[in-house]
Structures are given as structure tokens and as C-alpha cells.
Amino acid sequence: MTSSIAKSDEQPTDRQDVADRLLRSSEVLSYDPVQEVDWETPLDTDYHGTSPEWSTLYGTAYWAEMTPEQQRELTRQEAASVASTGIWFEMILQQMVLRDFYAKDPTDPAFQWALTEIADECRHSIMFARGAAKLRAPAYRPTRTVVELGRVFKTIAFGEAAYAAILVAEEVLDVMQRDWMRDERVVPFVRTVNNIHVVEESRHMKFAREETKARLEGASWLRRQIQAVVVAGASYFIVTSMWNKKVYENAGLDVKRAVREAKANEHHKSMLRSSCAGLMEFLNSAGLLTKASHWFYKRANLI
């Protein structure tokens, strides 16, 4: 039986079938953040912005010295920093997907899914931006060097490198947000934002995995080695940009001490590693977890 979205005279490929199912899922289970998120209720500062265990300072001596109010303010600033990094990378993602599907067959379910994903990402970016503003946070941005590297990456990354990098960014965020959306210590509107993102990004991750595998079919050993390093390098800069050091200043902390203790925080490193177990298994099965790429993942505390 042919897909209702695929051409009627052609049997759909597995890739088309996946895209078709994702399209149908998006028709049934998608959200409008403008309507779903409570934007009107004033921020209740008795809540955290993330699960405290995900704070970069949780488990450190500094965290133990902080007042509950300081701890909550820090997690709210950290939530805004993660959201801001998400906006930055979602803009890179949208440009890579648009370039990949430029002038391709619009009747292909994969083409239609790509546009659906871009529409999702536009809504997510606006949602994250409004969320950060409601958390009373400034615009946290990656460093100038990382911004320019992102500009280069979105321009030259292709095929499996683009989709695997998308997968890395989304998988790490997905694990964190699944914790936050269930945590009653987290401010309710942030929990709603996280729930929306988790539900809709699960489809994006499925597509990224399928595209990564499809683009690697028949790829040479050398191509896999090169693309593995490209993906790992992108992953390093994405993950290390999630927690901007300015969050400490905006939470009223000693920035130098906070940065020092955060860098040495083994609890936070272990949280990152555990969040990436499934991802690393997939990259290894795809031939994208090479000896050279290990250096970047270790530096980012992902393995």
C-alpha cells in the first residue's frame, strides 16, 4: 500500500514511510506555545528554573553555602542560558535543513517533514525566548568565536554531519528536560515549555537518526573518520555553550569561584555522561564514534 502523502504510483521507501508517520504524528500531537504556556502569571521565585541536580554548582562547596533563594535564582538563570543556546543552535539547524532540501521533490514526505520540523523549531525558538524573558534573564549568547564557528558549520556541514550534530544537541537537551518537566520544584510554566519541547523534538530526533543512517550508506572509511570529527567538534561547542558563565554574575555569585568549582564539579560531569549513553551507542553503531572524536566528547564530559 502506498503512502497517502507519497506519489500514488510509487511504493514508498523506508525513509519516506518514516517521514509519513512523523507527519501524521505532528498532525495529532503538536502544541501552540502561545495558547499552552501560562505567560500571564507573574514569575514565582519560590520555584527553580531547572531541577537543582542539573545545576552546574550542585554538589559543590559553593552550592552548600548558597541560600535557597540564591540556588533558585541560579537555576533560573541556567535555564535561560540553556534556552538561549537552544535558540542559537535551532537557527543553525533550520538553515542546514533548508539547504539540504533546497529544490528537492516537494511531493516527497521527507521534504514535507523537513518543512514541518522547521516550523516546529521556529515556534520553539520564540517559546524559549519568551521563557527566558519571563525568567528575568538577559540574552545569553555563545562567545564570539563560537558564534563565528557556528556560521561556518551551518554553511559547510552536509549529510550525516549536519543530522548527527542536530541529534547530539537535541538528545542532550531532551534528557535534561525530561527531568525538569516532571519536577514539581521547577516553575510550572518552564515545565510546560519542557514538555512541549520533549514531545515535538522526539520526532525531530527520529528523523535525524534516520537521515544520519541513510547518508552513511556506502560511506567510505575516510569519510566516516572526517565526519566523526566534524560532529564531535560541533558537539563540544554546543554543549560547552549551554551554561554561560554570566549566569553566576546575574545570580549574585562570585564569578571566579563559581567558574572554578563548576569546572571541577564531578556530579555535573556524571549527569552529562549519563544523559549521552544512548546517543554514544548510536554514534558508535553508525561508525561516528572514532578514536579522534573521543577527544572532543571527553572534553565536553559526554563520555
Side-chain angles (χ1 to χ4, degrees):
M1 180 180 295
T2 57
S3 164
S4 62
I5 299 179
K7 296 179 184 178
S8 59
D9 60 343
E10 294 182 1
Q11 189 71 16
T13 64
D14 290 343
R15 179 168 168 269
Q16 288 174 321
D17 184 60
V18 168
D20 199 352
R21 285 187 281 113
L22 292 175
L23 281 168
R24 294 181 185 281
S25 174
S26 69
E27 292 171 1
V28 174
L29 192 60
S30 290
Y31 298 96
D32 179 0
V34 174
Q35 301 298 323
E36 298 290 339
V37 181
D38 178 7
W39 300 113
E40 302 304 320
T41 301
L43 176 66
D44 187 340
T45 56
D46 287 336
Y47 287 94
H48 285 274
T50 72
S51 296
E53 293 79 8
W54 273 102
S55 173
T56 55
L57 289 180
Y58 183 86
T60 65
Y62 204 174
W63 178 269
E65 294 174 20
M66 292 163 60
T67 66
E69 291 75 19
Q70 287 177 314
Q71 292 172 351
R72 291 194 295 268
E73 180 60 32
L74 175 60
T75 62
R76 290 194 295 269
Q77 292 298 319
E78 288 178 321
S81 178
V82 170
S84 295
T85 304
I87 295 169
W88 166 70
F89 189 72
E90 284 180 345
M91 295 186 73
I92 292 175
L93 180 160
Q94 292 171 56
Q95 293 178 75
M96 291 193 299
V97 173
L98 273 175
R99 189 180 73 247
D100 188 40
F101 280 89
Y102 174 70
K104 291 186 177 178
D105 181 1
T107 66
D108 182 348
F111 180 98
Q112 295 171 31
W113 167 252
L115 295 185
T116 301
E117 180 170 339
I118 291 167
D120 287 347
E121 298 297 5
C122 286
R123 292 197 310 276
H124 294 168
S125 293
I126 296 171
M127 176 175 70
F128 285 161
R130 292 186 67 177
K134 186 165 181 174
L135 287 168
R136 303 173 185 171
Y140 291 112
R141 297 185 180 89
T143 64
R144 171 56 62 183
T145 298
V146 174
V147 168
E148 295 307 321
L149 286 172
R151 197 186 305 279
V152 173
F153 179 73
K154 73 175 179 59
T155 303
I156 66 174
F158 69 93
E160 62 275 9
Y163 288 100
I166 289 170
L167 185 62
V168 170
E170 299 296 2
E171 290 250 8
V172 173
L173 193 55
D174 180 73
V175 173
M176 290 191 291
Q177 290 187 321
R178 285 179 185 274
D179 285 347
W180 305 349
M181 74 184 194
R182 302 185 184 105
D183 193 335
E184 295 184 357
R185 296 170 296 177
V186 174
V187 66
F189 91 88
V190 170
R191 295 178 64 192
T192 304
V193 166
N194 291 331
N195 183 68
I196 291 172
H197 197 249
V198 163
V199 170
E200 298 188 345
E201 287 298 332
S202 66
R203 295 189 288 262
H204 300 183
M205 291 188 292
K206 173 66 174 175
F207 188 66
R209 283 175 181 259
E210 292 299 317
E211 288 298 303
T212 299
K213 291 188 291 187
R215 305 308 172 91
L216 282 170
E217 289 182 4
S220 67
W221 177 87
L222 179 59
R223 174 170 167 172
R224 288 175 189 267
Q225 294 293 310
I226 294 172
Q227 296 289 62
V229 172
V230 171
V231 172
S235 303
Y236 170 81
F237 288 112
I238 293 165
V239 173
T240 56
S241 295
M242 284 185 173
W243 292 275
N244 193 303
K245 67 180 182 180
K246 291 181 181 178
V247 300
Y248 306 122
E249 178 182 352
N250 293 323
L253 304 179
D254 179 331
V255 176
K256 289 184 178 180
R257 182 184 175 187
V259 169
R260 183 174 64 253
E261 295 204 24
K263 285 183 177 179
N265 189 355
E266 292 301 325
H267 170 80
H268 192 252
K269 292 176 184 178
S270 71
M271 294 286 282
L272 282 173
R273 286 193 295 269
S274 64
S275 74
C276 292
L279 170 64
M280 293 302 153
E281 183 179 342
F282 171 77
L283 293 177
N284 186 51
S285 69
L288 293 177
L289 191 57
T290 62
K291 184 176 181 180
S293 69
H294 265 73
W295 185 87
F296 289 98
Y297 293 124
K298 285 183 178 178
R299 292 271 294 178
N301 300 305
L302 301 183
I303 56 176

